[in-house]
Amino acid sequence: MSDNFATSVLNITTGTSETVTDLTHDCEQFLARAAGGRDGLLNIFVPHATAGIAVLETGAGSDDDLLATLHTLLPADDRYQHRHGSPGHGRDHVLPALVPPHATLPVIAGRLELGTWQSVCLVDTNMDNTDRQVRLSFLG
């Protein structure tokens, strides 16, 4: 594998409630090892059909607002064709159409280039799957 590419997998336990999990620190730690001070791109990918990656402000209520908005847009009821799992689980399979399972972000001089209030987050509304993997890949 080229010195210009590095990848690693995070194992995240999200628990049995809907969550927005901040991955920014994990991304920064990965880049400290992988980027070597270079410019490039960080790709964050969650290989699950019921989770997504979002870039948003956390800690000021925006993460809760996102979950509330998803409840409005995707109610957890029996309207969905996809019906295995807990009631309303079909909504979890629609989530990646609104919160995609990936993000690609700029890396400048080995550091993640985010806005002042931006964080990289795993969004998981699936209460049936408590263990998630997130693949971080640096191309520089």
Side-chain angles (χ1 to χ4, degrees):
M1 193 167 298
S2 168
D3 286 341
N4 295 328
F5 180 79
T7 190
S8 181
V9 174
L10 302 174
N11 292 299
I12 307 290
T13 301
T14 55
T16 57
S17 62
E18 297 177 354
T19 62
V20 175
T21 304
D22 191 337
L23 303 175
T24 308
H25 182 71
D26 296 298
C27 292
E28 291 168 342
Q29 285 185 317
F30 168 72
L31 289 171
R33 295 187 310 271
R38 293 174 293 176
D39 293 351
L41 296 171
L42 174 66
N43 181 264
I44 305 102
F45 176 70
V46 55
H48 299 283
T50 59
I53 300 295
V55 177
L56 74 153
E57 180 180 5
T58 60
S62 297
D63 33 359
D64 291 332
D65 290 341
L66 174 59
L67 292 175
T69 299
L70 291 172
H71 271 281
T72 300
L73 295 172
L74 302 170
D77 58 25
D78 64 355
R79 72 182 70 204
Y80 304 96
Q81 301 285 323
H82 192 111
R83 294 194 182 195
H84 75 83
S86 59
H89 175 64
R91 75 185 283 267
D92 301 326
H93 287 273
V94 178
L95 173 78
L98 301 175
V99 182
H102 58 86
T104 301
L105 303 171
V107 176
I108 306 298
R111 297 184 52 93
L112 191 55
E113 190 74 7
L114 291 172
T116 302
W117 303 111
Q118 290 180 319
S119 297
V120 180
C121 298
L122 170 66
V123 179
D124 187 2
T125 59
N126 182 356
M127 297 178 287
D128 295 336
N129 186 351
T130 62
D131 298 311
R132 298 298 186 164
Q133 291 185 331
V134 178
R135 178 166 296 281
L136 304 177
S137 299
F138 173 74
L139 179 63

